[in-house]
């Protein structure tokens, strides 16, 4: 990932991460720490799934950790098919609670 990402303002951390997944692709917890100031990406992803009904894809990776020793983490992303599904849901129910809480970021 590009370490110089300039993100548009978002009102909350949840919305900031949701928007970043839309505009920038995938993140690991280490990417999110550096680029989004999210210190606990797995919890944020869980909240995005609960709050917006979004299916966030993931896979385990082994990356260099402390002192270069391997550590496991997840890489998270939302597929293009899922964004299409979320967009349709937004269009079908523009006044739903999920839309009001964050699906306005889905374009």
């Amino acid at each position: 990932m590009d370490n110089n990402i300039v993100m548009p303002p978002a009102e909350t951390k949840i919305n900031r991460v949701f928007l970043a997944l839309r505009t920038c692709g995938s993140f690991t917890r280490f990417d999110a720490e550096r680029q989004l100031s999210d210190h606990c990406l797995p919890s944020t992803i869980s909240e995005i799934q609960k709050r917006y009904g979004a299916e966030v894809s993931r896979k385990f990776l082994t990356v260099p950790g402390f002192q270069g020793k391997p550590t496991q983490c997840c890489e998270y992303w939302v597929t293009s098919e899922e964004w299409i599904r979320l967009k349709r849901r937004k269009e079908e129910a523009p006044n739903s609670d999920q839309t009001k809480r964050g699906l306005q970021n889905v374009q």
Side-chain angles (χ1 to χ4, degrees), residues 7-23 27 32 36-54 56 76 78 83 86 97-106:
M7 293 299 302
E11 294 177 12
T12 66
K13 176 181 80 165
I14 303 294
N15 285 351
R16 184 174 64 245
V17 172
F18 195 42
L19 183 59
L21 287 168
R22 176 69 177 125
T23 58
F27 290 90
L36 304 171
S37 297
D38 185 338
H39 308 288
C40 196
L41 183 62
S43 295
T44 304
I45 295 296
S46 175
E47 185 63 26
I48 287 169
Q49 292 179 135
K50 284 187 234 171
R51 200 178 277 193
Y52 307 128
V56 180
Y76 300 95
V78 179
W83 287 117
L86 291 170
D97 286 343
Q98 287 182 336
T99 300
K100 289 176 184 174
R101 287 185 293 180
L103 287 180
Q104 69 272 13
N105 290 332
V106 176

Side-chain angles (χ1 to χ4, degrees), residues 57-73:
S57 298
R58 67 199 75 205
K59 70 177 175 181
F60 277 100
L61 302 175
T62 301
V63 298
F66 180 68
Q67 296 182 340
K69 294 183 180 175
T71 189
Q72 279 198 330
C73 66

Side-chain angles (χ1 to χ4, degrees), residues 1-6 30-31 34-35:
M1 293 253 73
D2 179 1
N3 288 329
N4 299 312
I5 293 173
V6 177
F30 303 112
D31 297 329
R34 286 187 301 272
Q35 298 172 29

